[in-house]
Amino acid sequence: MMKLRAALTAAAVACTAAVSVAAPAAAAAVPTALGQGAYLPIAGVGGMAVDPLHKRVLVTNPSANSLLSLSYFGGVQKSVPAGWNAGAVTLSPDYATVYVASPDEHQITAFDAATLSPKRTYELGQQVWPRQIAVTSGKVWMAYDGGMGSLDPATGETTLHDLDNDAWVNPLLLTAPGAPGTLVLANAWRYSVGNGDVLVYDVSSGDAVLKTKSRFGDGTLRDAKLTPDGSTLIGFGNECPIWKAPITDPAAKTTAYDNGICRPQAIDINTDGRVAFGYGNYDGTADITISPAGSQAAAEKFTVDNDQAVWWTAWEPGGSRLFAIGNVGEDWRFHAIHGSTPVRSTISLSAPAIAAPGSAIQFTGKVSQPGARVELYCDSNSPGDKFLVATATANASGQFTLVDKRPETFVYDYTVVYAGTDSIAPASASASVTVQNTPALTLSHNNTVNNYGATVTLTAHLGTTFNNRAVQIWADPYGTEPQRLLRWTNVDAKGNLTASLKLTRTTAVLVKFTGDAKYGPTSARSVLNTRASVALQPSRQYKAAKIGTVPYRYYHANVHPYFLTTINPYPGRKQRLTLEVVSGGKWKVWRVLDLPLNTKGQSAFTLTGTHPVGAKYRARAGYLTTTSGDSVNYTNYSPYYYFTFTK
């Protein structure tokens, strides 16, 4: 069963803290969850080493040709150029110098360990592609395709040892703190299986003197480490079993550290004898295990989120800390185990989902550490194409803004990172932005006011696209009626498409373009305001005649006028009947009545009471948006009807 992993969100990302767990005497029953880990702005790992003097983890990023210095919690402190396809990294015994191998440039570069400033570059010759390096007996030893060599860091003199075997590709080069004069060369590679040849050298004099040569057998060696005393190899091949073997007789290997977990991918052995393994399993079992010195049982087990494969484990020399690096695709994560527990930190992030090519993409967020420096990395999902694009300093409230521009259409993955400090853990938050062109799309008749029952012909216009010229036109009448598709077809040669619609309610019309290979989806909206249909029919008058130029209806004073209002029906709708009278030579509102309509949209009113002879009146009915109980039509009134009373 696949692991259940907590997904990384753009809103807030929990930091990775060092996990301190006391090693129990018996095997741990339930693994400790390490979380998703600290984000690493890399596309791969070429080598890993721990500097206990300066309290940092050194990692090479081959795709960016760089050497990174990480805090003990995984925050990037510094990144420096380290040669093309920078790979293996190691430290001198006094932790004063860092050595990085650059196989594609046939060189090894020495850096000052305190500052990571380059001290010297050693050219090895075009035939030497240094894959692994180790420092012992005063020299830098290198394993390269087809051979082994040594470098005198003082003079730069290089000595090569031809192994006379083309099968030696990227061999392992192993040393042990308790056996400084012993160097083991094993024909293996962590990403494939070598033939298992093992050579043991005595290098205590500065020269390589072959002591033994033996073989594991085909298909049995991918990665291994020496025990602290230099006597035993512990490693694995392609299959599940982990084994151990004496370096003098590797063929005598026996199954060991049988944790019931398959896919071992990383191993490191502490100076005190503790053994750590990293795994690439996806079955819910542990991703990292630790076995105490002298025991093959996994006393501690750990899991990591998001189905990461753990490719690297490294102990702090002489210390209790263990560091691991895992990945899912191009997403690389750092995990710290044991040691101090840092102050947790978080980042929240907001970003647009879609942006136009060349436009400013703005990222806003908040980091839990006010005044912190945050970095924005972009990953275009191409190998090695993960790069720093912007930096900012958060304000006193922790808020920040970062901006980037991408000229090409693509889906870009962005990560904002706070590196943390020696006491504060790093944090990160991610977001994906689709950069694409958006075509011009318009729709006519927006915000027009139309009569009830009118037929309106709308025109949609689509600008330049790649290969999709179809648009959809949808009508969505106000109220409970569902939207309906009017047309869905290609626009004409001028980019136009028309659709006709008979209006009985205010209607929102939406035109949609679904996108194509180069242009993103877009839409445009027009609202066609539609007047209500309002009719007022008075009755019971005995005649009609004009007073001046205005037609009046005449009622006997003992007759009560009857008014019937008809408005297109809608549930809960009311009419507003307004009666006015002439007073002081001006029309003034006399009565205002909000009367309910029946299901046919009709409402009747009888004007009762005493009717003064000769007084002039007028009446009109109206529908008022919202006031009349709904807003599915636009405000409209009937004409005024004028009336008076006689004896």
Side-chain angles (χ1 to χ4, degrees), residues 16-69:
T16 296
V19 178
S20 296
V21 181
V30 179
T32 299
L34 296 179
Q36 62 195 7
Y39 172 84
L40 294 178
I42 59 177
V45 178
M48 181 180 182
V50 181
D51 180 352
L53 179 63
H54 302 99
K55 299 190 181 301
R56 60 178 57 151
V57 179
L58 301 168
V59 173
T60 54
N61 181 13
S63 59
N65 313 314
S66 62
L67 170 67
L68 279 67
S69 169

Side-chain angles (χ1 to χ4, degrees), residues 346-365:
T346 58
I347 290 180
S348 61
L349 181 65
S350 296
I354 298 175
S359 66
I361 307 172
Q362 183 168 288
F363 301 82
T364 59

Side-chain angles (χ1 to χ4, degrees), residues 473-486 501 503 505-510 525-528 632:
I473 301 178
W474 293 80
D476 187 9
Y478 281 24
T480 58
E481 183 179 338
Q483 65 176 356
R484 64 184 186 277
L485 182 65
L486 300 180
L501 178 65
L503 298 173
R505 299 179 188 171
T506 294
T507 302
V509 181
L510 187 70
R525 184 174 183 264
S526 289
V527 175
L528 280 61
V632 303

